[in-house]
Amino acid sequence: MAHPGAELYGSDRVFLESVSGMIEDDWEVVVTLPVSGPLVAALKERGAEVRLTPTPVVRKSALRPRGMLKFLATSIAGVICGSRLLNRTRPDAVYVNTMTIPLWQVLARLRRIPVLSHVHEGESSASPLIRSALALPLFLSTTIVANSKFSVGVIEKSFPRLADRSEVIYNGVPGPTTQIDARSSLDSPLRITYIGRLSPRKGVAVAVAAVGILAARGIDTHLDLVGAIFPGYEWYEDQLRQQIVDLGLEGRVQFHGFQPSVWELMAAGDVVVVPSIADEPFGDTAVEAVLSGRTVIASATSGLLEATAGYTTARSVEPGNADALADALQATADHWGTTSGEMRSDIHAARLRHGPELYRQRMAGKIGTIVRTPR
């Protein structure tokens, strides 16, 4: 099972559930990662063997001259080390998580090993050339699983044949071990929680701006930012901190950095915001908010609409519109306590739709199907 990183964000946690599904189905699982990180310990705890293997990861930086040289060098090392790993383990199947590590589809198919590709990407705004280049290695897959209908739709724009071969299996999203109800009345600031990467595309600056708008209206709020930047994006965190100073929000916005478990901070909050300004293939954080019994306000775009569909306590707002987000937050505060019954219904629906046990069974079943296929 190949994965492009070693952190514990959305796709990493879904990958953990996939690994658990295979282990529960009595597979011996070897996971290959290009780097070490907190995911390694979590994988070992679940019973997987972990091997660090040089792997070229398709990123925008690879389009620049220095990035392209690094990508090519890593590709050469990846072919050598990846081939050794496959020769040593002689796997019955290879599971490739995301479209950013096509090396593993190539190495596996050269050895006639069946491949399951799990698609987590969905950027319809990307250029047709980039979309096609990312999707092309999927033709080497024995079967394709996508995390949303939106992701399949993006693939279809490039290669309709690949979309016909794809099956949607919604992410398995564990809920909190202890259910803590939202407070019955707002006798202190409305506590807003953002969980995820601190990056421009995630719309963190929009959330900060919305808090500034609410402060100008005289509405007391507090924003918790739970997450960290990508290496090299230190400038963005500096920009956020300066924005907070410029808006006079010191003390109203708190940085918590990366947290391996988000449930305590989510339970301490009142409402979760997912203000992405770019396409999202899905929205695990939105589902986690519903499972926690918290109102979620998400951008009305791409896979976020799919992730929040059918939940009466979820709200959608125009992407990038801080005024719209502020209005939705104010409306949530104004109508506080009127959705408790609906929230219980939404929690039940989310558990049925995203139960980890069902997800694990479905993913293990897909692997079993391709292994039984003659090579």
Side-chain angles (χ1 to χ4, degrees):
M1 300 182 72
H3 184 66
E7 297 180 288
L8 283 173
Y9 287 96
S11 64
D12 308 299
R13 294 183 182 277
V14 175
F15 181 67
L16 266 178
E17 295 302 324
S18 299
V19 169
S20 293
M22 306 311 161
I23 291 173
E24 289 172 2
D25 202 38
D26 294 328
W27 286 101
E28 180 183 347
V29 174
V30 178
V31 172
T32 175
L33 306 173
V35 293
S36 186
L39 180 62
V40 173
L43 287 165
K44 290 181 178 179
E45 183 180 337
R46 300 201 183 195
E49 176 186 344
V50 180
R51 293 286 178 172
L52 300 184
T53 311
T55 302
V57 181
V58 178
R59 303 192 192 281
K60 291 181 181 178
S61 59
L63 299 176
R64 295 190 288 269
R66 182 179 296 180
M68 179 60 72
L69 288 175
K70 181 179 179 181
F71 184 84
L72 291 174
T74 307
S75 296
I76 294 171
V79 169
I80 296 170
C81 296
S83 297
R84 288 174 180 167
L85 179 62
L86 291 178
N87 291 338
R88 181 183 68 81
T89 58
R90 301 179 63 83
D92 294 293
V94 170
Y95 172 111
V96 183
N97 204 45
T98 83
M99 296 193 295
T100 63
I101 45 175
L103 171 73
W104 293 102
Q105 280 107 334
V106 175
L107 293 180
R109 295 310 284 163
L110 285 173
R111 288 162 177 76
R112 298 181 180 274
I113 302 170
V115 178
L116 185 153
S117 294
H118 197 165
V119 176
H120 295 266
E121 295 85 353
E123 293 192 41
S124 61
S125 57
S127 71
L129 179 61
I130 291 177
R131 285 202 312 266
S132 297
L134 279 171
L136 195 61
L138 293 177
F139 278 103
L140 297 173
S141 306
T142 311
T143 191
I144 303 168
V145 169
N147 66 346
S148 67
K149 295 176 183 176
F150 177 77
S151 294
V152 174
V154 173
I155 295 172
E156 188 174 24
K157 289 183 179 181
S158 300
F159 302 108
R161 285 176 54 199
L162 287 177
D164 292 340
R165 293 172 48 196
S166 302
E167 177 183 345
V168 174
I169 296 180
Y170 284 127
N171 291 345
V173 183
T177 54
T178 302
Q179 195 73 50
I180 300 176
D181 293 336
R183 52 183 173 159
S184 57
S185 62
L186 294 179
D187 51 6
S188 61
L190 178 71
R191 297 194 66 93
I192 306 160
T193 309
Y194 167 87
I195 298 173
R197 282 283 189 187
L198 302 186
S199 72
R201 61 178 289 118
K202 294 293 186 179
V204 190
V206 179
V208 174
V211 171
I213 292 169
L214 291 172
R217 295 176 184 176
I219 300 172
D220 198 7
T221 59
H222 182 91
L223 173 62
D224 290 305
L225 299 177
V226 186
I229 57 168
F230 275 115
Y233 275 71
E234 290 78 9
W235 61 268
Y236 184 67
E237 183 173 340
D238 293 340
Q239 195 175 88
L240 287 173
R241 292 184 182 276
Q242 187 60 52
Q243 180 188 13
I244 291 166
V245 172
D246 293 343
L247 293 174
L249 299 177
E250 302 97 319
R252 291 180 184 266
V253 182
Q254 184 174 357
F255 290 81
H256 293 271
F258 169 77
Q259 299 293 325
S261 175
V262 300
W263 302 119
E264 185 175 344
L265 281 164
M266 196 174 283
D270 301 311
V271 56
V272 176
V273 293
V274 190
S276 298
I277 60 176
D279 287 339
E280 294 282 0
F282 197 64
D284 285 358
T285 301
V287 176
E288 288 174 343
V290 174
L291 289 167
S292 293
R294 298 297 181 268
T295 296
V296 58
I297 303 174
S299 294
T301 181
S302 54
L304 287 174
L305 286 170
E306 195 170 341
T308 56
Y311 300 121
T312 55
T313 57
R315 297 172 178 265
S316 296
V317 296
E318 180 185 359
N321 189 330
D323 287 296
L325 180 56
D327 289 343
L329 286 165
Q330 184 173 349
T332 298
D334 290 343
H335 297 89
W336 193 257
T338 61
T339 61
S340 57
E342 294 173 336
M343 187 62 73
R344 286 191 291 272
S345 177
D346 284 351
I347 292 172
H348 179 68
R351 287 172 176 169
L352 291 178
R353 191 182 304 177
H354 296 283
E357 296 82 6
L358 177 60
Y359 171 82
R360 294 172 183 175
Q361 292 169 9
R362 296 187 70 184
M363 292 305 300
K366 293 301 294 183
I367 285 290
T369 299
I370 67 171
V371 168
R372 289 192 293 270
T373 302
R375 302 186 189 181

Short mmCIF file of all heavy atoms in Angstrom, two decimals, residues 60 121-127 131 150 154 201 278-279 281:
data_model
loop_
_atom_site.label_atom_id
_atom_site.label_comp_id
_atom_site.label_asym_id
_atom_site.label_seq_id
_atom_site.Cartn_x
_atom_site.Cartn_y
_atom_site.Cartn_z
N LYS A 60 3.09 20.94 -7.74
CA LYS A 60 3.29 22.08 -8.64
C LYS A 60 4.75 22.48 -8.70
O LYS A 60 5.22 23.01 -9.70
CB LYS A 60 2.43 23.26 -8.17
CG LYS A 60 0.93 23.04 -8.36
CD LYS A 60 0.13 24.23 -7.89
CE LYS A 60 -1.37 23.98 -8.08
NZ LYS A 60 -2.19 25.12 -7.59
N GLU A 121 -8.34 13.17 -5.39
CA GLU A 121 -8.20 14.50 -5.97
C GLU A 121 -9.43 14.88 -6.79
O GLU A 121 -10.11 14.01 -7.34
CB GLU A 121 -6.96 14.57 -6.87
CG GLU A 121 -5.65 14.39 -6.12
CD GLU A 121 -5.26 12.94 -5.93
OE1 GLU A 121 -6.07 12.04 -6.28
OE2 GLU A 121 -4.16 12.67 -5.44
N GLY A 122 -9.66 16.18 -6.91
CA GLY A 122 -10.75 16.65 -7.74
C GLY A 122 -10.64 18.15 -7.98
O GLY A 122 -11.31 18.94 -7.33
N GLU A 123 -9.75 18.54 -8.89
CA GLU A 123 -9.55 19.96 -9.18
C GLU A 123 -10.04 20.25 -10.60
O GLU A 123 -9.29 20.18 -11.56
CB GLU A 123 -8.08 20.35 -9.03
CG GLU A 123 -7.59 20.28 -7.59
CD GLU A 123 -6.23 20.94 -7.40
OE1 GLU A 123 -6.02 22.01 -7.99
OE2 GLU A 123 -5.41 20.38 -6.68
N SER A 124 -11.30 20.59 -10.71
CA SER A 124 -11.87 20.86 -12.03
C SER A 124 -11.32 22.15 -12.61
O SER A 124 -11.37 22.37 -13.83
CB SER A 124 -13.40 20.95 -11.94
OG SER A 124 -13.79 21.99 -11.07
N SER A 125 -10.78 23.03 -11.75
CA SER A 125 -10.26 24.31 -12.23
C SER A 125 -8.85 24.19 -12.82
O SER A 125 -8.35 25.13 -13.43
CB SER A 125 -10.24 25.33 -11.08
OG SER A 125 -9.47 24.85 -9.99
N ALA A 126 -8.21 23.03 -12.64
CA ALA A 126 -6.87 22.84 -13.21
C ALA A 126 -6.96 22.80 -14.73
O ALA A 126 -8.01 22.51 -15.31
CB ALA A 126 -6.26 21.55 -12.68
N SER A 127 -5.84 23.10 -15.38
CA SER A 127 -5.84 23.11 -16.84
C SER A 127 -6.09 21.70 -17.38
O SER A 127 -5.75 20.71 -16.73
CB SER A 127 -4.49 23.60 -17.36
OG SER A 127 -3.48 22.63 -17.13
N ARG A 131 -4.86 18.08 -15.73
CA ARG A 131 -5.84 17.07 -15.34
C ARG A 131 -5.58 15.76 -16.08
O ARG A 131 -5.62 14.68 -15.49
CB ARG A 131 -7.26 17.55 -15.65
CG ARG A 131 -7.81 18.59 -14.71
CD ARG A 131 -9.34 18.60 -14.75
NE ARG A 131 -9.86 18.62 -16.10
CZ ARG A 131 -10.20 19.72 -16.76
NH1 ARG A 131 -10.07 20.90 -16.18
NH2 ARG A 131 -10.69 19.66 -17.99
N PHE A 150 -17.90 13.85 -7.32
CA PHE A 150 -17.21 15.00 -7.89
C PHE A 150 -15.85 14.60 -8.44
O PHE A 150 -15.48 15.02 -9.54
CB PHE A 150 -17.04 16.09 -6.82
CG PHE A 150 -16.28 17.29 -7.31
CD1 PHE A 150 -16.89 18.23 -8.13
CD2 PHE A 150 -14.95 17.47 -6.97
CE1 PHE A 150 -16.19 19.34 -8.59
CE2 PHE A 150 -14.25 18.56 -7.42
CZ PHE A 150 -14.86 19.51 -8.24
N VAL A 154 -14.41 14.88 -12.37
CA VAL A 154 -13.19 15.54 -12.83
C VAL A 154 -12.40 14.60 -13.74
O VAL A 154 -11.88 15.01 -14.77
CB VAL A 154 -12.33 15.99 -11.63
CG1 VAL A 154 -10.98 16.52 -12.09
CG2 VAL A 154 -13.07 17.07 -10.83
N ARG A 201 -5.50 28.10 -0.38
CA ARG A 201 -6.64 27.45 -1.01
C ARG A 201 -7.70 27.00 0.00
O ARG A 201 -8.86 26.81 -0.35
CB ARG A 201 -6.18 26.26 -1.85
CG ARG A 201 -5.47 25.18 -1.05
CD ARG A 201 -5.06 23.99 -1.91
NE ARG A 201 -6.20 23.22 -2.34
CZ ARG A 201 -6.56 23.04 -3.59
NH1 ARG A 201 -5.86 23.59 -4.57
NH2 ARG A 201 -7.62 22.31 -3.90
N ALA A 278 -10.89 26.90 -3.16
CA ALA A 278 -10.55 26.07 -4.32
C ALA A 278 -11.34 24.77 -4.23
O ALA A 278 -11.95 24.46 -3.22
CB ALA A 278 -9.05 25.78 -4.37
N ASP A 279 -11.32 24.02 -5.33
CA ASP A 279 -12.05 22.75 -5.36
C ASP A 279 -11.56 21.81 -4.27
O ASP A 279 -10.37 21.70 -4.00
CB ASP A 279 -11.85 22.06 -6.71
CG ASP A 279 -12.62 22.74 -7.83
OD1 ASP A 279 -13.57 23.47 -7.52
OD2 ASP A 279 -12.25 22.55 -9.00
N PRO A 281 -12.11 17.70 -3.26
CA PRO A 281 -12.71 16.45 -3.73
C PRO A 281 -13.78 15.93 -2.80
O PRO A 281 -14.73 15.27 -3.22
CB PRO A 281 -11.52 15.49 -3.81
CG PRO A 281 -10.49 16.08 -2.89
CD PRO A 281 -10.67 17.55 -2.97
#
